[in-house]
Amino acid sequence: MPDLLPPEPVSAGPRAVLVAGFAEAVWLRPDGRVEQLEPQVAARRALVEGPIVCHAPATFRKLKSQRAPAADILELYAFVRPASFCLPTPRGLAEALGLPLANHADLAAQARMLAQATRALLGELAATSSKRRRIGGLARMMAKAGWIWGEAVMAALDSGGEISSLAGVGVWEDLPEWQDQAPEPAPSDLAVEPAEARRRLSDLLGPNAEQRPQQADYAEALTPAFGPRPAEDSPNVVLAEAGTGVGKTLGYLSPAGLWAERNKGAVWVSTFTRHLQNQIDQELDKLYPNPAVKAARVVLRKGRENYLCLLNLADLAGSAALRTQDAIAFGLMARWVMATRDGDLAGGDLPGWLPDILGSSRVASLADRRGECVYSACPHYGRCFIERSVRKARKADIVIANHALVMIQAALGAEDQRLPTRYVFDEGHHLFEAIDSAFGAHLTGQETIELRRWLLGAESGRASRARGLRRRIEDLILDDAAAITLMGEIAEAARALPAEGWLQRLQDKRPSGAVESFLHGLRLEVLARAPADSQGYGLEIDARPVADQVLAPALALDRELSRLQAPMRELAKRLANRLDEDSDVLDSNARLRIDAMVRGITRRAEMEVTAWRAMLQSLAQAMPPEFVDWFAIERVEGRELDVGFYRHWLDPTKPFIDAVAKPAHGVVITSATLTDGSGTEQAWEAAEQRVGARHLLSPALRVRVPSPFDYASQTRVFVVTDVQRTDMDQIAAAYRELFLAADGGALGLFTAIARLREVHRRIAPAIEQAGLDLLAQHVDAMSTASLIDIFRGERDACLLGTDAVRDGVDVPGPALRLIVFDRVPWPRPHLLHRARKSVFGGADYDDQLVRLKLKQAFGRLIRRADDRGVFVLLDRQMPSRLLGAFPAEVKVERLGLAEVIARTREFLGQYIPKE
Ligand code: SF4
């Protein structure tokens, strides 16, 4: 029987509130009484009553139940405070709303706070004075579609029957229009002198700043990249390793900002993670303290697929009238459009948890994912977020981009026709993987069905907003009979590409069309030849020797692809000719649109189809020495996701240097972990190999600036010697006791998802009982970004994760004070890795990669001079030769678990005061 606690003097209004833990749930009844329930009981009751919850997917995952209808308070928050940050937890809401939450580990206190937060949000809405008509219209539309909050929101707005739901549609009409301006001339090429970079840094820091000589040395050392290059194709490249705490960002922004001002050109600062993009954006407040000036001089640029497309949102409004979830998504995204700074769906001001709640694919489908933009034919062109961002980048001094966008732009040509001349690649240790993925070619089911959708759009019977090529260009080719014929040929040939249901057909051995026939033979070949894998990971085999069941359909597919490629090329040529022939009648928007269409078609015909055909044709011969080819079935936990033929460069830095570095004049590649920490000449050579510096005509400059931190006193590093790394009970017990010894603030890193889940299952009850939050990638129904945000915001939370968590975590202060790694992170023995290992140094290559991973993980621990942290590796087989990953002054101690726990408690106990 559930335990009925005494009534509390708090009313949740007409709805109950549910807060779930791993072992129990708390139910706050509308009359204020609190019940403690078994999770299954709470889940069953939720089905009937639809209680208020905070983050419905995570709540029901904790209850181990299907998601039930619930009044998610985060939906209400997103409606009342769009584009405003809050952690998706009761504590996060309390902080955002300024409400008290004395004991955040007490589920009953959380439930009462959620009831209070509901009233506060509805009160705030009632007091809203601006755009009430628009907001009321959206609320009415959502209420009509069955939004659980609809009635309460309508009552708060007191809009009665006066406002039509149509008043909510058309939020885009309120957005400002961008204005086109004359193109900028090419930048000049005046150098930045070392003393000037130092002076600029000192000005940015101000007279009262703490003196950091390393930072000034670093800023000065980068100036060669901001001088004229000596010869064509010979950029000035600086490889700059700066230890954690040097202050890299302001260090490089000093010469970069000076160069941009002086030469009237843009410096592109490229990062790997969205977190660093946002951090750089904040640091730029120092360079541009006036927000209006900053808005004009700085732009955060991402690929088109990251921004909301207003035409897609308008299309959603059509289906929103029918389906509840679409109506809620439309309403909340429309509220966000009313408040967003730049329409960035990935890491901008869209709360990271909103896609968790609305459905990540529903939110992603609002972006221009496949390049289906119709440019000036779009009714929202003049207000489009993407077009605004592209235009701002042309005028900006500093463009904050990411590695993926830089690679794509270099490979496909810049959207505004001119490539940058100066780059700073921060997080340079991720450059290799960004390059590798940008320059690889995949002839797979997923890639080919994407091309079919891009060409044909939504096909019969499918509810989809996809616009095919014909729909995108039909008004441009109305009077061109030859172009219309070509369009027909393209549509006909595109039917050789896979349609919906292709993967199931492969599994049923009933392929349809040339691509599926090829993939069918390839899949059978992989299943026959791949080593058995009981873990459910992907299967892969070398692409040579080629069996007949693969080769014959490969050659047939090549012929089909040539039937598709020829009319695509011809159509692109005809459209391009119009730019020339009709130059007197085309206005600039029409020109830009045609140009974009030509580039879109050319990109697919020349880059995708050409690469695929080359791969297929080469199957009859030996593998080209510059590539690694393999066949694979991609699987997650045994479930097949994709099947195909993969080709990557053995050394992908070669095309990177040709496409990105050589056309530039100055390039800085910087990171705290460019080298593997071994301190040898080979370490620098390996770093140069990973960024392609050996393909440069003149050598790159090497710069190393040490960290100012006192690692010997700020950290402890332990290797545990008495835990059996294959025994999950022992591993889990070690995590549990270490996390408890640190009293939270702990990050558990894993080399495999299955091991993470095993540990989570075993330790969750004990961690919760100790009053600590336990978060886990691949377990919690939240995006990795949300998990990291919560971890950062809570001082004593514990987080379990794999590589993405390690790379995304930047947590200064005590919220991260312990890192536990489950075992030595050896590289996975993929075929691609095996091929690279054979030419990049054999076993030394493996060692370098492990040292780099450990060095990067260790680097997360200390972000400020007053941080303290413990790093533990639960793998007694850690070879001593890899210990160079840690700072030389840190003594790595090999001890038994009990001793490590005691030392961790003692070391961190002096650092962490009780809250
Ligand atoms: S211009 Fe293109 S990306 Fe922008 S709203 Fe229109 S279709 Fe979408």
Side-chain angles (χ1 to χ4, degrees):
M1 279 292 288
D3 179 15
L4 198 61
L5 295 180
E8 294 286 336
V10 176
S11 163
R15 252 177 219 288
V17 182
L18 164 65
V19 178
F22 287 106
E24 63 161 16
V26 157
W27 190 275
L28 173 65
R29 295 176 12 167
D31 63 7
R33 289 200 289 175
V34 173
E35 293 174 74
Q36 286 171 334
L37 303 179
E38 298 280 327
Q40 316 84 288
V41 177
R44 276 202 301 278
R45 200 186 277 185
L47 265 177
V48 180
E49 294 189 33
I52 295 171
V53 299
C54 180
H55 204 296
T59 301
F60 288 101
R61 178 73 64 87
K62 272 191 184 164
L63 297 176
K64 299 190 178 61
S65 141
Q66 293 290 323
R67 189 170 163 182
D72 195 329
I73 194 168
L74 293 175
E75 289 179 9
L76 182 62
Y77 185 90
F79 190 86
V80 178
R81 291 191 176 187
S84 135
F85 182 76
C86 107
L87 290 177
T89 60
R91 183 177 180 159
L93 271 170
E95 272 174 20
L97 298 173
L99 297 173
L101 179 58
N103 181 359
H104 76 277
D106 177 356
L107 300 187
Q110 291 182 18
R112 287 189 204 99
M113 198 288 303
L114 290 182
Q116 236 183 322
T118 302
R119 289 193 294 277
L121 284 168
L122 291 172
E124 195 172 315
L125 190 62
T128 301
S129 55
S130 105
K131 300 195 174 152
R132 277 183 82 89
R133 201 177 153 69
R134 198 59 104 194
I135 299 171
L138 285 171
R140 176 167 289 278
M141 183 270 293
M142 295 164 77
K144 265 170 63 181
W147 188 35
I148 211 160
W149 287 109
E151 218 175 285
V153 164
M154 295 287 293
L157 287 167
D158 193 22
S159 51
E162 311 138 35
I163 302 178
S164 149
S165 55
L166 290 178
V169 180
V171 282
W172 36 85
E173 288 158 14
D174 301 337
L175 296 172
E177 294 202 45
W178 47 259
Q179 303 290 329
D180 245 337
Q181 289 177 356
E184 296 286 309
S188 44
D189 212 6
L190 303 170
V192 173
E193 299 300 330
E196 293 177 305
R198 280 182 176 270
R199 254 198 317 278
R200 169 56 65 97
L201 176 66
S202 155
D203 292 347
L204 291 178
L205 292 169
N208 302 322
E210 165 202 350
Q211 289 304 310
R212 286 202 270 186
Q214 297 93 338
Q215 192 177 24
D217 293 346
Y218 174 76
E220 174 180 329
L222 306 185
T223 49
F226 296 96
R229 65 178 177 180
E232 189 182 12
D233 288 343
S234 191
N236 299 309
V237 176
V238 180
L239 303 185
E241 182 168 72
T244 314
V246 164
K248 283 198 310 297
T249 311
L250 275 188
Y252 59 66
L253 287 177
S254 300
L258 263 176
W259 185 90
E261 277 165 37
R262 183 167 293 169
N263 293 294
K264 304 279 175 280
V267 176
W268 277 52
V269 179
S270 177
T271 74
F272 186 72
T273 59
R274 64 159 193 150
H275 177 68
L276 186 59
Q277 268 195 323
N278 293 338
Q279 205 173 304
I280 294 169
D281 189 27
Q282 284 162 18
E283 291 274 16
L284 279 161
D285 289 348
K286 297 199 178 91
L287 193 56
Y288 304 101
N290 179 335
V293 175
K294 184 183 168 194
R297 306 309 327 160
V298 175
V299 62
L300 220 143
R301 274 279 275 130
K302 297 182 179 176
R304 301 183 70 86
E305 67 286 359
N306 290 287
Y307 296 88
L308 180 124
C309 161
L310 293 170
L311 190 57
N312 283 345
L313 184 67
D315 281 355
L316 180 64
S319 50
L322 302 172
R323 287 192 294 262
T324 310
Q325 286 312 316
D326 284 339
I328 296 171
F330 173 76
L332 296 185
M333 294 307 291
R335 284 289 288 133
W336 175 70
V337 164
M338 291 168 75
T340 178
R341 180 176 79 154
D342 55 8
D344 177 2
L345 291 166
D349 52 19
L350 184 81
W353 40 261
L354 196 52
D356 299 341
I357 289 169
L358 299 178
S360 49
S361 58
R362 188 177 273 112
V363 172
S365 75
L366 295 176
D368 179 28
R369 267 191 308 177
R370 294 194 199 100
E372 293 171 345
C373 178
V374 290
Y375 298 88
S376 56
C378 169
H380 314 299
Y381 185 58
R383 295 183 169 91
C384 172
F385 291 121
I386 305 168
E387 293 301 317
R388 184 193 309 283
S389 148
V390 169
R391 276 159 184 77
K392 265 189 83 180
R394 288 183 197 150
K395 293 266 175 196
D397 285 354
I398 304 288
V399 178
I400 311 168
N402 55 43
H403 296 349
L405 175 67
V406 170
M407 301 308 150
I408 288 168
Q409 185 164 270
L412 305 179
E415 217 160 333
D416 60 356
Q417 312 287 319
R418 188 188 295 147
L419 287 170
T421 64
R422 296 294 185 295
Y423 292 101
V424 176
F425 289 100
D426 200 342
E427 299 184 300
H429 56 279
H430 283 302
L431 207 46
F432 187 90
E433 62 188 285
I435 296 168
D436 193 27
S437 94
F439 292 98
H442 298 177
L443 172 48
T444 70
Q446 296 294 2
E447 296 284 327
T448 47
I449 195 174
E450 276 299 303
L451 179 58
R452 180 177 175 128
R453 290 185 187 128
W454 189 82
L455 290 167
L456 299 182
E459 295 181 69
S460 56
R462 277 193 51 79
S464 162
R465 294 191 300 277
R467 294 177 285 274
L469 181 60
R470 188 193 299 272
R471 216 175 115 197
R472 295 197 298 276
I473 65 165
E474 57 195 359
D475 60 311
L476 293 175
I477 58 172
L478 269 182
D479 307 329
D480 186 343
I484 292 171
T485 305
L486 288 168
M487 194 56 245
E489 288 171 17
I490 291 170
E492 176 60 32
R495 298 192 195 284
L497 301 169
E500 300 299 330
W502 66 272
L503 189 53
Q504 189 59 53
R505 283 193 293 281
L506 291 197
Q507 288 165 356
D508 296 345
K509 301 188 172 51
R510 332 176 259 110
S512 163
V515 174
E516 289 183 27
S517 296
F518 168 67
L519 296 178
H520 172 64
L522 180 154
R523 181 174 175 277
L524 295 180
E525 190 67 12
V526 175
L527 290 172
R529 282 173 43 201
D533 173 69
S534 56
Q535 304 283 315
Y537 292 128
L539 302 172
E540 55 178 26
I541 57 170
D542 284 308
R544 312 287 188 299
V546 189
D548 282 349
Q549 65 177 346
V550 178
L551 190 57
L555 299 177
L557 175 56
D558 177 45
R559 287 191 294 276
E560 288 296 323
L561 289 177
S562 87
R563 281 186 53 224
L564 175 64
Q565 190 179 41
M568 286 175 76
R569 282 179 167 163
E570 192 53 35
L571 182 63
K573 207 159 98 190
R574 287 192 75 83
L575 286 171
N577 284 346
R578 281 199 56 195
L579 291 175
D580 187 22
E581 288 160 9
D582 298 346
S583 55
D584 51 338
V585 291
L586 291 173
D587 65 23
S588 65
N589 282 340
R591 291 187 67 81
L592 283 173
R593 181 177 166 211
I594 294 174
D595 184 58
M597 295 298 162
V598 171
R599 280 192 298 118
I601 300 169
T602 307
R603 168 185 171 181
R604 277 149 186 99
E606 299 304 337
M607 297 203 50
E608 290 181 357
V609 182
T610 300
W612 293 343
R613 293 193 60 203
M615 289 159 71
L616 293 166
Q617 289 163 11
S618 73
L619 276 178
Q621 299 129 29
M623 187 164 70
E626 67 274 32
F627 295 123
V628 183
D629 289 351
W630 72 99
F631 299 152
I633 302 174
E634 285 187 30
R635 304 191 304 176
V636 169
E637 293 171 28
R639 193 165 58 90
E640 291 186 23
L641 300 178
D642 204 0
V643 178
F645 178 9
Y646 298 75
R647 167 170 283 183
H648 278 230
W649 286 79
L650 188 58
D651 177 2
T653 62
K654 174 91 176 63
F656 162 71
I657 292 295
D658 289 343
V660 181
K662 282 187 180 170
H665 295 213
V667 178
V668 174
I669 299 175
T670 189
S671 164
T673 47
L674 277 185
T675 68
D676 67 1
S678 57
T680 59
E681 173 64 17
Q682 290 96 309
W684 267 114
E685 285 170 8
E688 291 183 344
Q689 187 176 49
R690 279 190 297 279
V691 298
R694 62 183 184 165
H695 302 300
L696 291 166
L697 300 179
S698 30
L701 284 173
R702 296 173 184 175
V703 173
R704 178 177 277 142
V705 183
S707 167
F709 296 148
D710 177 3
Y711 285 111
S713 67
Q714 289 180 254
T715 64
R716 294 289 179 271
V717 178
F718 302 115
V719 176
V720 175
T721 53
D722 56 0
V723 167
Q724 188 52 259
R725 66 179 187 172
T726 52
D727 182 333
M728 290 316 293
D729 284 335
Q730 288 190 34
I731 292 283
Y735 272 99
R736 184 188 65 229
E737 294 308 316
L738 285 163
F739 284 10
L740 294 176
D743 215 2
L747 176 64
L749 293 173
F750 291 83
T751 48
I753 297 169
R755 288 168 67 85
L756 180 156
R757 289 206 169 113
E758 285 293 310
V759 167
H760 179 272
R761 188 169 61 75
R762 287 168 166 85
I763 70 173
I767 300 292
E768 184 175 282
Q769 209 173 21
L772 303 174
D773 284 334
L774 179 64
L775 309 159
Q777 193 192 13
H778 309 292
V779 175
D780 285 308
M782 281 190 192
S783 64
T784 303
S786 292
L787 292 172
I788 293 174
D789 283 344
I790 297 172
F791 181 66
R792 190 181 291 121
E794 304 271 350
R795 198 196 67 173
D796 299 327
C798 303
L799 172 61
L800 308 181
T802 51
D803 287 2
V805 163
R806 184 200 61 217
D807 296 336
V809 163
D810 184 2
V811 181
L816 176 52
R817 50 190 181 267
L818 169 68
I819 292 178
V820 184
F821 224 123
D822 71 330
R823 57 184 175 184
V824 176
W826 294 112
R828 288 249 165 78
H830 290 304
L831 292 171
L832 181 59
H833 173 74
R834 188 191 67 188
R836 286 183 179 149
K837 182 176 166 180
S838 68
V839 295
F840 285 4
D844 286 349
Y845 181 58
D846 281 347
D847 286 358
Q848 282 160 15
L849 296 181
V850 174
R851 275 194 293 263
L852 280 168
K853 277 195 180 180
L854 291 172
K855 192 178 171 190
Q856 283 150 20
F858 177 81
R860 308 277 115 195
L861 209 47
I862 304 296
R863 313 300 286 177
R864 294 193 316 218
D866 58 349
D867 281 356
R868 297 284 180 279
V870 174
F871 189 95
V872 180
L873 186 63
L874 298 175
D875 189 346
R876 64 180 165 202
Q877 288 169 19
M878 164 81 171
S880 299
R881 66 180 188 278
L882 301 180
L883 297 179
F886 303 105
E889 64 272 29
V890 174
K891 184 169 162 233
V892 178
E893 297 176 272
R894 292 179 184 266
L895 299 168
L897 179 62
E899 185 67 22
V900 171
I901 292 167
R903 299 243 197 143
T904 299
R905 186 177 291 117
E906 187 198 345
F907 184 70
L908 294 178
Q910 303 159 6
Y911 168 51
I912 306 297
K914 283 277 169 218
E915 258 194 343

